């Protein structure tokens, strides 16, 4: 029951101010967010790479409502890619972008503004020997986001797409995307969506996830399995074997700060394991969605409000 509530308040400016002002918030946020700035993010990239893990970096921000902020997001990614290139980390780290942070939601020309901004990031990524994955946001953005991915792939074929199993349409999207060279990250979904477009029951979301996994593993693309669920990980490994895939023909992805021991175990077992590392000052929306996804995350946060020894 708390999940939908937390997703609703993730877009509340009043709650943003209250949570951000709480003295205990920031230490807890740093469990899930690699820091406010680029040097902090680069420290985490180096540490994860040294541990045999790969990374996708997300400069936090979304729902941008002016062109100047959208341009600032683009510039932050350009600085990030310059830093990755300078340290030769392009083979270990890619970037993930939310198109709403690039201007997608602007009332006039938002789609084209976001495309132009992210096109510059994709070019910089290619120059650094890495690539871009376009995160999926709420259901109203799916067509625009997939259209941007298709356009970017004309010059940067490694551009990744993200699909969410809780949306009714996603199985069909997977069929369209499961083609040679297509990088596709499958997640369950972390936005509050209406019953008219998305499964509301967790069991139905899980079943849809498995159906989408079957399509992606059997297809010609490169599946990226975004899940912390042990059952889904086991199913994905089984479906990969059935499809004749070997390690490196697909990968697992997990969030920074969640199930770190499992991340290390899968990597040690020969699986390609990529960690989604967010950073930046605009952490509130991302943080609230992480709390909504798993009761254990929320419990961890609430315990931080209890004084030691109480």
């Amino acid at each position: 029951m708390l999940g939908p509530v937390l997703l609703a308040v993730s877009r509340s400016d009043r709650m943003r101010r209250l949570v951000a002002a709480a003295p205990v918030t920031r230490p807890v946020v740093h469990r899930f967010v690699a820091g406010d700035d680029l040097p902090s993010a680069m420290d985490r990239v180096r540490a994860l790479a040294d541990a045999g893990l790969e990374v996708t970096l997300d400069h936090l921000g979304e729902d941008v409502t002016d062109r100047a902020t959208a341009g600032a997001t683009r510039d932050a990614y350009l600085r990030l890619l310059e830093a990755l290139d300078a340290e030769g980390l392009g083979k270990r780290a890619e970037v993930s972008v939310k198109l709403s942070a690039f201007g997608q939601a602007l009332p006039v020309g938002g789609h084209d503004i976001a495309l132009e901004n992210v096109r510059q990031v994709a070019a910089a990524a290619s120059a650094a020997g890495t690539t871009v994955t376009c995160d999926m946001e709420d259901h109203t953005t799916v067509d625009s986001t997939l259209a941007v991915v298709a356009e970017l792939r004309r010059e940067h074929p490694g551009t990744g797409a993200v699909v969410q199993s809780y949306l009714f349409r996603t199985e069909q999207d997977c069929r369209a995307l499961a083609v040679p060279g297509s990088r596709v990250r499958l997640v369950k979904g972390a936005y509050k969506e209406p019953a008219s477009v998305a499964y509301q029951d967790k069991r139905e979301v899980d079943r849809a996830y498995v159906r989408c996994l079957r399509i992606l593993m059997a297809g010609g693309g490169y599946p990226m399995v975004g899940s912390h669920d042990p059952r889904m990980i086991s199913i994905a490994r089984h479906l990969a074997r059935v499809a004749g895939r070997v390690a490196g023909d697909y990968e697992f992805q997990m969030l920074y700060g969640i199930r770190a021991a499992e991340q290390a175990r899968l990597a040690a077992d020969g699986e390609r394991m990529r960690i989604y590392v967010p950073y930046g000052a605009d952490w509130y929306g991302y943080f609230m969605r992480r709390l909504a996804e798993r009761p254990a995350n929320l419990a961890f946060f609430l315990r931080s409000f209890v004084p030691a020894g109480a």
Side-chain angles (χ1 to χ4, degrees):
M1 293 296 292
L2 281 173
V5 175
L6 289 167
L7 290 176
V9 302
S10 71
R11 294 181 181 267
S12 165
D13 288 336
R14 180 172 179 271
M15 286 302 299
R16 180 190 298 265
R17 291 191 294 271
L18 288 172
V19 172
V24 301
T25 296
R26 294 310 292 270
V28 180
V29 168
H30 286 161
R31 171 179 170 173
F32 305 104
V33 177
D36 287 353
D37 54 24
L38 179 56
S40 299
M42 291 300 295
D43 286 344
R44 296 316 305 154
V45 174
R46 294 185 204 100
L48 291 166
D50 288 345
L53 301 166
E54 300 187 47
V55 175
T56 183
L57 285 149
D58 172 15
H59 180 267
L60 291 170
E62 52 195 89
D63 299 329
V64 165
T65 57
D66 64 271
R67 290 192 72 157
T69 306
T73 299
R74 174 202 61 214
D75 293 344
Y77 274 98
L78 294 177
R79 289 191 294 272
L80 167 59
L81 287 159
E82 183 179 12
L84 292 174
D85 191 23
E87 297 200 27
L89 287 168
K91 292 188 180 301
R92 303 303 297 273
E94 60 151 45
V95 299
S96 288
V97 302
K98 286 183 173 56
L99 293 179
S100 70
F102 285 76
Q104 186 183 48
L106 294 179
V108 179
H111 174 91
D112 292 335
I113 291 167
L115 174 59
E116 182 53 36
N117 281 328
V118 77
R119 196 194 302 273
Q120 296 176 56
V121 174
S126 292
T130 187
T131 190
V132 172
T133 293
C134 293
D135 284 341
M136 194 60 74
E137 300 178 70
D138 70 75
H139 77 279
T140 64
T141 69
V142 175
D143 286 330
S144 172
T145 299
L146 292 179
V148 167
V149 170
E151 185 62 29
L152 292 177
R153 285 180 173 179
R154 294 177 185 273
E155 296 183 24
H156 311 285
T159 302
V162 180
V163 291
Q164 303 169 112
S165 73
Y166 67 177
L167 295 180
F168 299 150
R169 62 174 287 169
T170 299
E171 287 178 65
Q172 187 58 41
D173 288 332
C174 285
R175 292 187 183 94
L177 289 164
V179 296
S182 175
R183 299 170 60 253
V184 184
R185 179 196 300 153
L186 175 64
V187 299
K188 291 182 181 180
Y191 292 82
K192 180 174 170 54
E193 297 286 14
S196 58
V197 300
Y199 298 108
Q200 306 296 304
D201 183 83
K202 180 184 181 302
R203 292 168 298 182
E204 289 298 327
V205 176
D206 286 354
R207 292 186 189 109
Y209 193 95
V210 174
R211 292 194 298 270
C212 291
L213 264 181
R214 291 184 187 279
I215 294 167
L216 295 175
M217 288 295 185
Y222 179 78
M224 301 183 287
V225 183
S227 180
H228 307 94
D229 185 335
R231 191 165 63 93
M232 295 302 155
I233 292 167
S234 177
I235 291 171
R237 298 182 84 178
H238 169 72
L239 292 174
R241 290 193 298 270
V242 169
R245 293 179 180 269
V246 298
D249 287 344
Y250 62 97
E251 68 183 50
F252 290 99
Q253 297 191 358
M254 293 188 188
L255 300 173
Y256 175 73
I258 300 179
R259 300 201 73 204
E262 179 66 2
Q263 296 169 7
R265 186 190 72 81
L266 285 168
D269 204 26
E271 296 288 0
R272 193 175 190 188
M273 182 76 244
R274 190 178 302 274
I275 314 305
Y276 188 103
V277 178
Y279 75 100
D282 192 8
W283 48 261
Y284 176 76
Y286 175 87
F287 177 62
M288 296 303 287
R289 287 195 295 276
R290 299 297 75 79
L291 297 185
E293 282 176 343
R294 298 182 70 232
N297 294 343
L298 179 60
F300 176 81
F301 181 53
L302 295 176
R303 282 198 303 272
S304 301
F305 286 87
V306 180

